[in-house]
Amino acid sequence: MTRLTLARPDDWHLHLRDGAALRSVVAFTAARFGRAVIMPNLRPPVTTTAMALEYKARIGAALPAGCSFDPLMTLYLTDSTPPEEVDRALESGAVCGFKYYPAGATTHSDSGVTRLERAFPVLERMEERGLVLQVHGEVTDGDVDVFDRERVFIDRHLSRIVSRHPRLRVVLEHVTTREAVEFVRAQGDCVAATVTPQHLLLNRNALFAGGIRPHHFCLPVLKREHDRMALVEVVASGHPRFFLGTDSAPHARHDKESACGCAGVFSAPAAIELYAEAFEQAGALGRLEAFASHLGADFYRLPRNRGSITLVKEPWTVPASCPFGEGDIVPFRAGTEVAWRLDVPAGVA
Ligand code: NCD
Ligand code: ZN
Ligand code: ZN
């Protein structure tokens, strides 16, 4: 197969940042995806519907002219989020869910939830009113090995959330382990997962290939080959509750190439192309469209996109770096070839 036309895909987990950084990155996503779920971990975090509406307007203003891209906003759950915020979020029509960051688990998560119990009143309201909970599923306890943090979060917290709130729709974001795949598979229709390109394509050896590789560092951290295989198998099987979420998470080069480098892989400049590569390697290109363009919309109870994109089997080289505000940023697979290229129709920049 040399051309692959897909219904326009969506990205169900994306970081766009704000200001000059936002203006540097948003066009990459808008060229590929019709909609994206926008993560709220700004500084300060997007904790209210009013803040989300303002952020959405800034995203709209940063888009290239004539571009139809719909940001689906999320609110950042804190210990003190009032249940009434759920009502406001829903009534705005612009917010699709609340993001649960265990405090301290990842980039800009210090205002996150410190004890699960504190979130129960909001989760109850979300369950009643049908908003989706997006979860960064890692415990933060220093005594839990960093490679076990997702598994322990599932055992201690996620299993409690889903049994206490059986009708709450929950997305376990960026799944990385075989245990997470098995947990999600074992749940009913209300529990789903997003899968990133880096977790489908790399295992943890990629963090140390010939030296330490800061651009492969994200959270949850890459896992073993045995875990990567579980992710590949479940998406290649066409499971309806595993869908595309890039977790493209831009950080300036100097913040990554540092003695204490930030977590986050910037995949937006080649996101759908990289998923095509992963599905092709798995012999499952025929399942890419559902994963990228149908299953997430179905889970979020939104209409599937109209329109399409085309990928061409023609190798191209990802830029070594991209402008990022005043500085630059190193994208995932910088300077290397990707097998599939996005076909941009003539006349569209
Ligand atoms: C994300 C970021 O940089 O905002 N980083 C990451 O490594 N995934 C935060 C997140 O999604 O956990
Ligand atoms: Zn996360
Ligand atoms: Zn993320």
Side-chain angles (χ1 to χ4, degrees), residues 13 15 99 101 106 135-138 173-174 219-220 247:
H13 181 134
H15 301 269
K99 180 67 190 259
Y101 291 108
T106 185
V135 179
H136 180 104
E138 287 192 291
E173 301 291 340
H174 45 43
L219 288 170
D247 190 24

Side-chain angles (χ1 to χ4, degrees), residues 3-255:
R3 286 179 77 79
L4 187 60
T5 294
L6 311 172
R8 189 169 196 81
D10 298 305
D11 183 349
W12 300 96
H13 181 134
L14 177 68
H15 301 269
L16 286 178
R17 314 306 188 200
D18 210 344
L22 163 65
R23 290 191 289 277
S24 302
V25 302
V26 67
F28 292 114
T29 294
R32 292 166 175 78
F33 298 97
R35 294 169 289 200
V37 172
I38 310 301
M39 291 297 130
N41 60 334
L42 305 182
R43 279 198 196 281
V46 181
T47 50
T48 65
T49 305
M51 291 172 88
L53 291 171
E54 287 164 18
Y55 184 29
K56 182 175 167 151
R58 293 195 297 279
I59 297 169
L63 286 170
C67 152
S68 66
F69 171 74
D70 191 13
L72 309 172
M73 308 310 290
T74 57
L75 300 190
Y76 187 119
L77 200 60
T78 71
D79 282 351
S80 52
T81 304
E84 297 71 40
E85 199 60 52
V86 174
D87 305 325
R88 286 191 282 273
L90 205 69
E91 280 143 28
S92 76
V95 176
C96 68
F98 280 69
K99 180 67 190 259
Y100 182 130
Y101 291 108
T106 185
T107 305
H108 303 170
S109 62
D110 30 294
S111 314
V113 178
T114 59
R115 291 180 60 85
L116 174 58
E117 297 73 23
R118 302 203 165 124
F120 285 157
V122 181
L123 299 188
E124 233 151 75
R125 188 70 63 92
M126 290 175 67
E127 182 179 22
E128 262 166 48
R129 304 226 43 195
L131 275 181
V132 174
L133 181 70
Q134 293 95 5
V135 179
H136 180 104
E138 287 192 291
V139 293
T140 53
D141 321 38
D143 59 341
V144 177
D145 189 279
V146 66
F147 292 100
D148 295 334
R149 288 182 184 176
E150 183 177 84
R151 185 175 57 72
V152 174
F153 181 89
I154 292 169
D155 292 348
R156 292 190 191 159
H157 303 290
L158 188 58
S159 51
R160 275 180 80 199
I161 295 174
V162 303
S163 62
R164 198 168 187 279
H165 301 282
R167 289 177 303 108
L168 176 65
R169 276 178 302 143
V170 179
V171 182
L172 181 58
E173 301 291 340
H174 45 43
V175 278
T176 63
T177 55
R178 186 168 285 270
E179 287 91 344
V181 170
E182 280 162 12
F183 177 84
V184 172
R185 289 178 72 113
Q187 306 306 307
D189 287 350
C190 288
V191 181
T194 55
V195 189
T196 77
Q198 67 269 22
H199 292 106
L200 286 174
L201 289 164
L202 303 178
N203 65 36
R204 66 193 199 178
N205 287 349
L207 286 165
F208 308 107
I212 193 146
R213 299 288 187 158
H215 299 290
H216 288 162
F217 175 52
C218 64
L219 288 170
V221 70
L222 297 169
K223 300 297 191 305
R224 293 173 176 276
E225 180 61 8
H226 159 86
D227 297 298
R228 187 187 75 86
M229 285 308 300
L231 301 179
V232 170
E233 282 157 19
V234 77
V235 302
S237 76
H239 191 290
R241 287 181 286 108
F242 289 78
F243 46 80
L244 187 156
T246 62
D247 190 24
S248 178
H251 293 276
R253 176 201 290 275
H254 63 84
D255 289 328

Side-chain angles (χ1 to χ4, degrees), residues 282-300:
L285 262 186
R287 304 275 201 198
L288 178 64
E289 182 178 39
F291 173 81
S293 316
H294 298 158
L295 300 175
D298 297 351
F299 183 81
Y300 273 87

Side-chain angles (χ1 to χ4, degrees), residues 267-332:
S267 58
I272 188 68
E273 300 89 325
L274 291 166
Y275 284 108
E277 196 174 288
F279 275 71
E280 186 173 44
Q281 280 171 18
L285 262 186
R287 304 275 201 198
L288 178 64
E289 182 178 39
F291 173 81
S293 316
H294 298 158
L295 300 175
D298 297 351
F299 183 81
Y300 273 87
R301 300 182 186 154
L302 291 167
R304 294 179 181 181
N305 288 326
R306 288 198 298 252
S308 62
I309 61 162
T310 297
L311 296 171
V312 191
K313 183 89 188 270
E314 204 176 86
W316 61 289
T317 303
V318 178
S321 78
C322 305
F324 188 64
E326 307 269 275
D328 75 331
I329 183 168
V330 179
F332 186 33

